[in-house]
């Protein structure tokens, strides 16, 4: 069965610095999709970035980028120029064969 | 553009009372619809999903039920709430295949007292 692991329950970063959140997954599939979601204190879940496993190029959305290592089954999220509004829970998720598997989340704290 | 509405935002209900949470989607047709629950400080737990009117799949046996009376309407219900039903409930929709991920509603914070 597929699993998603976020090994960092909490991370903190100074405002304007760069932080990387880790995510690993376990699967025997070759075609799948990976997502990072953000849940701010309002608790609404917001899609941050999406990666298709067959694409070698890492996805980028403004200050957010991923380091997708398919062989290592790793999907980390890099946030550049961290802002106070980035403070949130971040969830990694894996999709294949009509299943969406979620990690336990990483709480990101931004220090002013 | 597609939007998803979920209400109410906050609800306090006594033990043993009924529950009805509603979710509607606009701007799309034939969406996949989902109900998730999130306990405080925890991840997401899929409760129900639906691929069409009247088609409900339950992921976790429990005190809750779901219904989809219309294509873009998804309702979470309970006949008698338990204390353990407290939590944050999120409705979501996706296109067929889920390859673009979910779009979530704003959530309902349910407290059973």
């Amino acid at each position: 069965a597929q699993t998603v692991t976020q090994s960092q329950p909490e991370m903190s970063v100074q405002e304007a610095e760069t932080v990387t959140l880790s995510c690993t997954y376990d699967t025997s599939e070759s075609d799948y999709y990976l997502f990072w979601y953000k849940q701010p204190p309002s608790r609404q879940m917001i899609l941050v970035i999406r990666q298709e496993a067959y694409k070698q190029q890492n996805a980028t959305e403004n200050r957010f980028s991923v380091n997708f290592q398919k062989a290592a089954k790793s999907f980390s999220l890099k946030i550049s120029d961290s802002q106070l509004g980035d403070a949130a829970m971040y969830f990694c998720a894996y999709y294949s064969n009509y299943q969406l598997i979620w990690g336990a989340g990483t709480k990101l704290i931004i220090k002013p | 553009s597609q939007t998803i509405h979920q209400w109410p935002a906050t609800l306090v209900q006594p033990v043993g009372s009924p529950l009805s949470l509603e979710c509607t989607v606009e701007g799309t047709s034939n969406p996949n619809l989902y109900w998730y629950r999130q306990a405080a400080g925890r991840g997401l737990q899929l409760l129900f999903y639906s691929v069409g009117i009247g088609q409900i799949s339950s992921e976790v046996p429990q005190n809750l039920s779901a219904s989809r009376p219309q294509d873009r309407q998804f309702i979470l219900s309970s006949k008698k709430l338990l204390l353990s039903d407290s939590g944050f409930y999120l409705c979501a929709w996706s296109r067929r295949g889920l390859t673009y991920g979910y779009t979530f509603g704003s959530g309902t914070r349910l407290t059973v007292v």
Side-chain angles (χ1 to χ4, degrees), chain B residues 29-106:
Chain B
S29 58
N30 300 315
N32 288 350
L33 297 171
Y34 309 84
W35 278 110
Y36 275 90
R37 178 168 59 197
Q38 185 181 31
R42 303 288 296 276
L44 296 169
Q45 179 187 36
L46 179 63
L47 301 176
F48 301 95
Y49 69 93
S50 171
V51 298
I53 296 174
Q55 301 178 61
I56 309 294
S57 295
S58 174
E59 291 294 307
V60 181
Q62 57 204 325
N63 186 42
L64 302 169
S65 63
S67 62
R68 184 170 177 174
Q70 300 180 42
D71 181 45
R72 290 169 289 179
Q73 183 184 27
F74 205 25
I75 298 171
L76 182 69
S77 304
S78 174
K79 293 182 179 178
K80 290 185 178 181
L81 284 169
L82 306 172
L83 287 173
S84 57
D85 291 325
S86 292
F88 189 66
Y89 290 82
L90 284 159
C91 179
W93 80 272
S94 73
R95 295 186 179 93
R96 300 295 178 182
L98 206 68
T99 57
Y100 288 89
Y102 290 162
T103 299
F104 285 87
S106 54

Side-chain angles (χ1 to χ4, degrees), chain A residues 37 39 43 50 95 102, chain B residues 36 38 97-99 102 109:
Chain A
Y37 278 86
Q39 187 178 39
R43 300 195 76 176
R50 167 180 173 269
Y95 170 70
W102 295 86
Chain B
Y36 275 90
Q38 185 181 31
L98 206 68
T99 57
Y102 290 162
R109 186 183 308 275

Side-chain angles (χ1 to χ4, degrees), chain A residues 40-100:
Chain A
S42 66
R43 300 195 76 176
Q44 178 150 19
M45 295 286 282
I46 302 165
L47 178 63
V48 175
I49 202 164
R50 167 180 173 269
Q51 175 78 43
E52 300 165 11
Y54 65 86
K55 287 188 176 180
Q56 294 184 346
Q57 185 174 5
N58 290 324
T60 299
E61 289 287 344
N62 301 313
R63 297 183 295 106
F64 298 86
S65 61
V66 299
N67 183 6
F68 174 49
Q69 302 289 329
K70 190 172 184 179
K73 298 178 183 175
S74 171
F75 181 60
S76 59
L77 175 69
K78 185 172 83 171
I79 306 173
S80 304
D81 184 25
S82 297
Q83 300 175 1
L84 294 177
D86 295 332
M89 284 289 291
Y90 286 82
F91 292 93
C92 176
Y94 162 100
Y95 170 70
S96 177
N97 291 331
Y98 304 102
Q99 294 185 69
L100 188 63

